[in-house]
Amino acid sequence: MCYEVFTGIFKTKDFNRNQIPSGGHFVIHYSSALKEKTFKDIEKNLDENFDSVCDFHSLSEEEKKNLITNIYIYDEQGLFLLCSFGNKEYFGALGQGGNKEINLANPQKVPYEEQIQCALHEFVHVVTFLDNDYDNRRFGWVNEGIAMYLAGQKTTEQDLKDAFNSPLNEENLNIIFGDDYDKFCKISGHTYSYLIIDFIMNNAEFGKEKLQKILREPQISPFEILGVSKEEFQQGWIKFFETKYGANVS
C-alpha cells in the first residue's frame, strides 16, 4: 500500500508506481486530517478481500497482478462531491472501473464502519466495470447487489424496516428492476438489490455460476441467463423475500 497526502481540490493522477510495495494493489491519497487508523482500516479490509472479489469476477492472475486502484479520501463530503463527479447529494462514495479509482468522503465524518465497508463496495464496482462502461449499465440491482453481497453489507433489521416502507407494488418493482438509478436509490434499492442477490445465490436453479455469467456477459438480459422471464423472477424473489425476511408484500 502506498500513501500520499494531497491538498487543494485537484487530485494527483500521476504517481510513481515504484513506490508501491510488492503485491500492493491500492494507493491511498488522503488529506492531512485523516487519522492513520482510518486508512489502515481501509487497507486491511481491501487487502483481505482482494482475491475473493477478483476471483468472483474471474480475473486471471496476470490481471490481478496488474490491477492497481487509486483511493481518494476527502475530508468533507462537499469536496468529495466536487472532485469525484458524484453529483448526488446522497453519495458518500464512488467507484469507477475505467479509471481504477475509488473516491470516499472521510469515514471520520460519517458512520465509520459503514464507510470502511463502502471502500470495499466501491472496489467491487471497480472490478465489475473494468471492461464495461459504467454509464451504460442497465441493471442497478445487479451491480449494487453484487457489490453489497461481496462487501458483506448484510441487511440489518433497520434496513428491512426502511425497505418495507417502500411497498413492493408494480410501480416500485419497475423501479427496482429498471434503469432509473435516482429512483432506485430513493426506495431502498440497495437493500432490495442485496436481497435479490441473496435469492439468486440460494436458489438451486440459479446460483453462483449464473450470477458470474451475468457479470461476464452484460449484453445479455440477466433473466435470459437465469432461464426465467422477468415476471417469473420477480414472483420467485418476492416469495423468497416473504419467507426468509417476513416481508409484508401487498
Side-chain angles (χ1 to χ4, degrees):
M1 184 76 69
C2 176
Y3 308 103
E4 175 185 346
V5 177
F6 71 92
T7 58
I9 66 171
F10 297 102
K11 296 178 294 188
T12 303
K13 293 287 188 179
D14 297 322
F15 60 94
N16 185 351
R17 290 180 180 269
N18 293 327
Q19 293 177 332
I20 301 172
S22 176
H25 297 285
F26 302 96
V27 181
I28 293 183
H29 310 261
Y30 61 99
S31 71
S32 56
L34 194 67
K35 296 178 181 178
E36 181 177 0
K37 180 182 184 302
T38 302
F39 58 77
K40 289 290 186 182
D41 286 345
I42 292 173
E43 170 187 6
K44 182 175 184 292
N45 196 32
L46 288 169
D47 284 343
E48 288 178 349
N49 290 279
F50 178 84
D51 283 331
S52 63
V53 171
C54 292
D55 291 344
F56 192 91
H57 289 78
S58 302
L59 266 63
S60 67
E61 289 302 314
E62 186 66 20
E63 288 172 321
K64 288 164 63 174
K65 179 181 177 181
N66 294 325
L67 177 56
I68 297 173
T69 301
N70 280 292
I71 304 170
Y72 296 93
I73 304 176
Y74 300 90
D75 194 45
E76 301 292 342
Q77 187 187 27
L79 186 57
F80 155 76
L81 293 173
L82 177 65
C83 293
S84 69
F85 310 106
N87 60 349
K88 309 299 183 185
E89 62 181 13
Y90 47 79
F91 273 18
L94 183 68
Q96 298 170 300
N99 296 335
K100 300 183 181 65
E101 181 177 301
I102 296 170
N103 295 275
L104 292 173
N106 189 343
Q108 297 159 196
K109 303 293 181 70
V110 294
Y112 187 84
E113 292 300 330
E114 290 182 18
Q115 195 69 342
I116 299 301
Q117 287 304 107
C118 269
L120 179 55
H121 177 114
E122 298 306 328
F123 176 62
V124 177
H125 284 325
V126 168
V127 179
T128 298
F129 294 107
L130 284 173
D131 298 318
N132 303 307
D133 188 344
Y134 185 90
D135 294 329
N136 287 337
R137 68 183 182 178
R138 295 170 297 166
F139 299 102
W141 66 266
V142 172
N143 303 317
E144 296 302 341
I146 288 173
M148 292 192 69
Y149 196 87
L150 294 183
Q153 294 172 303
K154 297 181 179 180
T155 52
T156 64
E157 183 176 349
Q158 186 59 51
D159 290 332
L160 292 173
K161 287 180 179 178
D162 292 341
F164 295 162
N165 289 330
S166 302
L168 290 175
N169 53 32
E170 184 175 358
E171 179 183 359
N172 282 338
L173 281 172
N174 287 335
I175 292 173
I176 293 168
F177 290 94
D179 58 6
D180 190 324
Y181 191 65
D182 285 344
K183 291 182 179 179
F184 173 87
C185 289
K186 291 175 181 177
I187 65 160
S188 302
H190 286 72
T191 296
Y192 284 128
S193 67
Y194 175 91
L195 299 174
I196 294 168
I197 301 303
D198 191 19
F199 169 54
I200 292 174
M201 291 291 286
N202 289 283
N203 187 304
E205 296 182 7
F206 304 148
K208 181 179 178 180
E209 288 187 5
K210 287 189 176 180
L211 186 56
Q212 288 174 315
K213 186 173 182 180
I214 289 172
L215 280 175
R216 292 194 301 269
E217 303 181 28
Q219 73 280 6
I220 301 176
S221 164
F223 308 111
E224 180 179 341
I225 291 173
L226 294 172
V228 294
S229 69
K230 178 179 176 181
E231 291 71 26
E232 289 171 332
F233 182 82
Q234 288 178 346
Q235 291 169 4
W237 170 61
I238 289 174
K239 184 177 180 179
F240 171 82
F241 193 17
E242 290 176 318
T243 302
K244 183 170 182 177
Y245 295 97
N248 182 15
V249 181
S250 58

